[in-house]
Amino acid sequence: MRLKEIPLTAWVGIFGIVLTLFCALFAPWIAPYGETQVVGDVWAPASSAFPFGLDNLGRDILSRLIFGAQTTVFVSLASTVLSFALGIILSFIAATTRGWVDTGLSRLNDLMMSIPTLIFALVVLAALPQTLTTLILVMAVLDSTRVFRLGRAVALDVAVMDFVEAARLRGEGTIWIIFKEILPNTLSPLLAEFGLRFAFAILFLSTLSFLGLGIQPPDADWGGMVKDNKDGIIFGVAAALVPGGAIAFLTICVNLVVDWLLKRTSSLKGGRGDA
C-alpha cells in the first residue's frame, strides 16, 4: 500500500486520531492550566486567555478537554483491547473445536447479547465499587459479545479452507491453527471492527459518565464535562457543546479510517491476499 492511495477522508480521520492521541499523551505539558484548577468566574465566556471559556466551576474548558482526552482515550482503548482479546480467543476456539464447545459458547454469547447493554452496565456499576478497573472490565465484557459474533463468523469461513485442513493433518494443535492459520487471514475485517468497537466504546463511556457511573469527578472526561455543563445550555452557555463536539469529532475520525479499511477488504477473508 502506497501513501498516495490513501483517500483524503482517511487522512482527515488519521489526523484527528493523531491529534487526540497527542493531547492524551502530553496533556500535563500542553494544557494551559491544571485539570482541577479554578481560574475564573463560572461559565465565563471565551477570551484570549480561555479560548473555550470556563465551566460550571470556573475551570478552563480547553485544559479540561485536553486532560479529558487522556482519560477518554485510555479507558476506551483499554476496554476495546480487552474485549477483543476475550472475544477473539473464545470465538476462534468455538470455530475450530465446534461441537458442544461451540454450542455452549454461542448460546452464552446470545444470552449476554439479549440483555440491554446500558441497563446491564448501570446495574453492575451501581453494585460494584466505582473504580477505573471495574469500569474497564464491565465495558470489555459487554463489548466482547459483539466481537465474539464477528470473530466466529470469519473464523468459520477460514477454518474450512485447505491450508487449515492441511495443518490439522500435520498434527498441529488448536493454538497453532488459531494464531498461525486463522488469525493472519482475518486481520482486515478484525482491524476494521476494532475501529468500530473503539468508537462505540468512546460513546458508551461518555454515556456512562453523563449518567454519573463512568469517570468520577474531579477527573475530567468528555462525557462528564457534558453532564457538568448541561444546565448552562438553558442560559445560552455553550460550555457543554465543546466536549460534545470533541466526542463527535473523534468518533467521526475513527469511522473515516474504518470506512477506508473496509473498502480495502473485498470480503471477510481479507487476509494474506490483501497484503
Side-chain angles (χ1 to χ4, degrees), residues 158-170:
V158 176
V160 296
M161 293 186 174
D162 293 340
F163 59 85
V164 177
E165 292 298 329
R168 286 196 176 100
L169 292 175
R170 291 197 311 266

Side-chain angles (χ1 to χ4, degrees), residues 46-124:
S47 63
S48 57
F50 313 114
F52 292 142
L54 304 183
D55 68 0
N56 63 316
L57 296 179
R59 299 167 296 189
D60 180 41
I61 293 179
L62 175 60
S63 299
R64 297 274 295 171
L65 199 67
I66 294 173
F67 280 104
Q70 194 175 55
T71 306
T72 301
V73 170
F74 170 74
V75 174
S76 300
L77 186 60
S79 66
T80 304
V81 170
L82 285 177
S83 70
F84 258 73
L86 180 61
I88 292 301
I89 290 174
L90 292 179
S91 63
F92 281 14
I93 289 175
T96 53
T97 57
R98 304 303 297 271
W100 65 269
V101 175
D102 182 23
T103 302
L105 290 175
S106 297
R107 298 295 78 76
L108 177 61
N109 190 71
D110 292 341
L111 176 63
M112 291 290 295
M113 291 188 67
S114 67
I115 305 173
T117 303
L118 183 57
I119 295 176
F120 185 86
L122 292 177
V123 172
V124 173

Side-chain angles (χ1 to χ4, degrees), residues 252-271:
I252 291 172
C253 287
V254 172
N255 283 327
L256 289 175
V257 176
V258 169
D259 286 342
W260 167 60
L261 289 175
L262 287 174
K263 288 177 182 177
R264 293 189 66 245
T265 306
S266 58
S267 70
L268 287 177
K269 293 177 287 187

